[in-house]
Amino acid sequence: MGLYVEAHIRADLDELWERTQDPAQHRRWDLRFSEIDYLPRVEGEPQRFRYAVRVPPFLTVSGTGIAAGERERPDGTRTSALRFVCPHPLSPLARGSGYWRYVPDAHGVRFLTGYDYRPRWGALDALTDRLVFRPLMGWATAWSFDRLRLWLERGITPERARANWLAELAVRALLLAGCLTGLGLNPGIGVLGPFEADADRLGPLVLVSVMSIALFKAPLARTPAARRCRRAPAAQSRTPRVLHTLEKHG
């Protein structure tokens, strides 16, 4: 799989399964989806669904897919898989597939995903995908997993977690803007008297230090952060069997 994200969540396996398998709950925490709706299911067939992503201000990209899961496995783990296709001409994703794996341990559940997709527009799009869109998709997945973790571990709803993230982002942006403005001002205006020379020397150092904090300080504990997730598997992982079973359903 082209993208891999893993989060360790201190929560009950059944509760994690419910938050990820119920479309109404899934779309609340997953940044990659604005809408997810199950379609009428045919007995013996995988679950078909429709999804949509709203791209501000006016664009909505939608597609369809099929999903299946293994809730009871001999080793105690669970797996779900999906395949999707997006016919929208402005979507950079033409089609793709992926899986979620739930691995309980003594302290919670390792919740991990592997997925890949085919870019729509050929060689030029492949380059753009490698440099821009694929890293963005990886970040959005990891950020969403951490938002889910905060919901399960701390009771911070996805809506509150997003508000926390936006507030922290705004504070960091204001600090950066203020520091850049300060660095651009003319040195001392004569109000500090004998301390003017020292202020002229130390001022830029203080501003640069504040800028470094704004840029690199770890996010607050109640703010979602992609950096908290593992972005590469610790060992070679195999594609789940359930994902292969979806291939025959188109």
Side-chain angles (χ1 to χ4, degrees):
M1 287 295 170
L3 289 167
Y4 179 93
V5 174
E6 177 181 331
H8 188 271
I9 301 176
R10 296 189 299 273
D12 178 73
L13 176 58
D14 287 330
E15 188 176 13
L16 175 59
W17 180 268
E18 180 69 18
R19 297 278 172 91
T20 54
Q21 296 297 320
D22 177 9
Q25 298 191 62
H26 180 187
R27 62 174 173 252
R28 290 181 63 189
W29 60 264
D30 199 332
L31 188 64
R32 299 168 297 172
F33 299 98
S34 304
E35 300 175 18
I36 307 172
D37 296 297
Y38 281 167
L39 302 175
R41 186 174 185 178
V42 178
E43 186 67 27
E45 292 289 314
Q47 176 66 62
R48 297 186 180 272
F49 64 90
R50 186 190 73 85
Y51 71 90
V53 182
R54 285 191 292 272
V55 182
F58 307 116
L59 179 63
T60 297
V61 175
S62 61
T64 58
I66 55 175
E70 294 179 308
R71 184 164 183 165
E72 303 295 338
R73 292 171 53 85
D75 60 0
T77 67
R78 299 181 185 181
T79 304
S80 66
L82 65 82
R83 297 181 65 216
F84 67 90
V85 59
C86 184
H88 197 290
L90 295 182
S91 171
L93 280 67
R95 62 178 64 245
S97 61
Y99 65 87
W100 284 344
R101 185 171 278 146
Y102 308 71
V103 185
D105 61 23
H107 306 289
V109 183
R110 289 174 53 224
F111 179 50
L112 57 95
T113 184
Y115 67 98
D116 205 355
Y117 56 85
R118 190 182 75 191
R120 181 177 302 279
W121 300 306
L124 178 61
D125 185 47
L127 179 61
T128 304
D129 176 71
R130 188 179 301 112
L131 296 177
V132 179
F133 197 73
R134 192 167 291 260
L136 182 61
M137 287 293 291
W139 173 87
T141 304
W143 187 92
S144 298
F145 273 33
D146 199 52
R147 179 157 68 156
L148 173 64
R149 180 190 64 82
L150 290 174
W151 192 12
L152 286 162
E153 291 186 358
R154 293 172 170 261
I156 301 171
T157 65
E159 296 77 17
R160 170 52 58 187
R162 179 180 56 191
N164 292 345
W165 179 72
L166 290 172
E168 185 171 332
L169 193 65
V171 170
R172 291 174 186 263
L174 287 172
L175 285 173
L176 283 173
C179 290
L180 290 172
T181 300
L183 288 173
L185 294 176
N186 290 326
I189 54 176
V191 298
L192 298 179
F195 303 105
E196 195 76 39
D198 291 335
D200 290 345
R201 288 194 299 269
L202 294 177
L205 294 177
V206 172
L207 292 175
V208 170
S209 298
V210 173
M211 289 176 62
S212 298
I213 292 172
L215 286 171
F216 302 116
K217 183 185 183 301
L220 298 176
R222 298 175 66 85
T223 300
R227 68 177 71 183
R228 297 192 183 111
C229 295
R230 182 189 294 273
R231 304 291 288 275
Q236 185 68 30
S237 59
R238 294 186 302 174
T239 301
R241 179 183 57 190
V242 66
L243 182 57
H244 294 303
T245 64
L246 293 179
E247 295 178 358
K248 62 182 181 181
H249 293 279

